[in-house]
Amino acid sequence: MSELSVRNLIGIKDLKASDLNLIFETTNRFLEVLNRPIKKVPTLRDITIANLFFENSTRTKLSFELAQKRLSADVINFSSSVSSIKKGESLIDTINNIISMKVDMIVVRHPSEGVASMISKKVKSIIINAGDGSNEHPTQAILDTYTIQQKFGNISGKKIAIIGDILHSRVALSNIYALKKLGAEVCVCGPTTLIPKYIKSLGVTVETNLKKALLWCDVANVLRVQFERMKSSYFPSNREYSKYFGITKKILDDLGKDITIMHPGPINRGVELSSEVVESDYSVILDQVENGVAVRMAIMYLLASKL
Ligand code: CP
């Protein structure tokens, strides 16, 4: 297969395993480009891309922008916090104005579920979801699974524990879809209050004991406690959360086995991961960020062929 089965990247749910494998193969080629002295290629010359961020971001926004510049695209950036949204302009008027500027591709992050999908039904530009509420964060899941494949050679049969705030996490949902499509075994682990009731229907197991999850898995993808999305109290205190679900280097050393620690960022240091773990040889957190640029180059290159 040499092209993606979708025109827009809204969620991993819509992709086939062959789409993920095609993105991985293409990422390998762009990773090579990024390690050359001249990192820029003319692949997306004359393509205009708008990055629309209605929610804060460091990694995703910068990674998309760098990937677009490496591909020689023309890039415009929109942040709602410094836009006319602050004067009361609606989402749809904002989008219509940006589309009028003849934009070929839109990367959108929004705090509400379904916004990327809604935009894709109203405009002809290609849409890439950079995170919609607690729904999906497809490019994060692709860079996470790519990083696992890079480390282990393949994903099929690998045991991945997704640990932390599963309830509010778009990264968890997109990772579960991607890992299951690629043949991994997946366990989610966290306090019962932060595990959605439907989760077992996605073919994952549930573990509430951190040590058991860590002993079981090859890779622990540790998620941020998303305080900003919590409408009530899900655990008594940060100290209590950290006592039962915080990962320290001693916990990992005491397992007496190899384990890889991932985190999509941003990290609450001292809550879900100690600083020592973040900076240890267990961690591939910065490899995830490095791979993210090549993964996003691959996705935009493959989607641009649909224009
Ligand atoms: N991983 C991730 O989405 O990070 P940002 O919120 O900084 O983009």
Side-chain angles (χ1 to χ4, degrees):
M1 199 179 82
S2 60
E3 67 171 73
L4 295 175
S5 66
V6 291
R7 189 176 186 276
N8 303 296
L9 180 56
I10 305 300
I12 303 289
K13 195 176 184 180
D14 308 325
L15 299 185
K16 299 182 163 84
S18 54
D19 290 319
L20 294 167
N21 287 320
L22 176 61
I23 295 170
F24 289 175
E25 283 158 26
T26 314
T27 299
N28 290 338
R29 301 212 304 272
F30 282 120
L31 213 48
E32 255 177 62
V33 170
L34 292 178
N35 283 303
R36 289 183 200 155
I38 296 171
K39 299 172 176 59
K40 198 160 175 157
V41 286
T43 318
L44 293 192
R45 201 156 55 195
D46 294 329
I47 303 283
T48 305
I49 308 180
N51 297 316
L52 312 187
F53 279 72
F54 295 85
E55 191 190 88
N56 294 347
S57 169
T58 297
R59 277 145 294 272
T60 312
K61 189 167 186 287
L62 292 179
S63 179
F64 265 112
E65 189 174 345
L66 187 57
Q68 290 150 2
K69 288 179 173 168
R70 297 289 191 231
L71 292 169
S72 305
D74 294 318
V75 182
I76 55 172
N77 288 305
F78 166 93
S79 290
S80 59
S81 56
V82 288
S83 74
S84 291
I85 293 266
K86 289 284 170 204
K87 301 177 196 163
E89 191 164 34
S90 68
L91 171 66
I92 203 63
D93 282 340
T94 303
I95 300 292
N96 283 339
N97 276 275
I98 290 164
I99 295 296
S100 303
M101 298 178 198
K102 304 219 182 306
V103 167
D104 300 297
M105 205 179 276
I106 291 178
V107 175
V108 61
R109 167 171 289 191
H110 198 280
S112 300
E113 293 81 8
V115 165
S117 171
M118 185 268 285
I119 297 172
S120 74
K121 292 184 178 105
K122 290 192 184 293
V123 305
K124 290 198 182 100
S125 313
I126 283 171
I127 307 299
I128 301 177
N129 182 5
D132 63 325
S134 300
N135 182 36
E136 282 228 37
H137 191 349
T139 60
Q140 181 68 46
I142 298 171
L143 74 89
D144 289 346
T145 45
Y146 180 85
T147 304
I148 297 170
Q149 168 135 318
Q150 184 183 54
K151 173 138 185 128
F152 292 96
N154 69 351
I155 291 178
S156 184
K158 291 287 165 300
K159 294 178 174 164
I160 317 297
I162 302 175
I163 298 173
D165 181 357
I166 313 295
L167 183 68
H168 299 100
S169 176
R170 54 196 175 208
V171 176
L173 200 54
S174 286
N175 262 269
I176 290 169
Y177 289 136
L179 289 163
K180 295 298 292 179
K181 284 173 201 268
L182 294 168
E185 289 182 56
V186 183
C187 160
V188 298
C189 174
T192 320
T193 49
L194 290 177
I195 297 180
K197 300 247 179 318
Y198 67 82
I199 205 83
K200 283 186 185 164
S201 70
L202 302 178
V204 307
T205 56
V206 174
E207 179 55 75
T208 52
N209 181 301
L210 176 68
K211 191 163 177 207
K212 283 188 187 166
L214 293 174
L215 279 168
W216 172 82
C217 70
D218 302 302
V219 177
N221 195 351
V222 185
L223 304 179
R224 182 170 68 91
V225 178
Q226 303 204 17
F227 295 107
E228 77 279 12
R229 292 192 207 281
M230 292 185 178
K231 294 187 182 78
S232 61
S233 180
Y234 290 85
F235 47 84
S237 65
N238 285 0
R239 192 194 292 191
E240 184 107 351
Y241 182 90
S242 178
K243 182 175 169 197
Y244 290 103
F245 294 98
I247 299 178
T248 62
K249 186 151 180 302
K250 180 170 184 333
I251 291 176
L252 297 180
D253 290 343
D254 287 351
L255 296 172
K257 62 165 217 167
D258 284 340
I259 186 166
T260 298
I261 299 295
M262 301 174 73
H263 193 302
I267 301 165
N268 295 311
R269 284 187 184 228
V271 180
E272 64 261 5
L273 284 180
S274 71
S275 285
E276 219 186 346
V277 172
V278 175
E279 281 141 31
S280 73
D281 289 342
Y282 293 111
S283 162
V284 292
I285 295 168
L286 293 180
D287 296 330
Q288 291 170 259
V289 178
E290 183 178 342
N291 289 336
V293 179
V295 161
R296 292 182 171 109
M297 286 171 82
I299 291 165
M300 289 186 285
Y301 162 72
L302 290 164
L303 289 175
S305 73
K306 312 274 182 183
L307 283 167

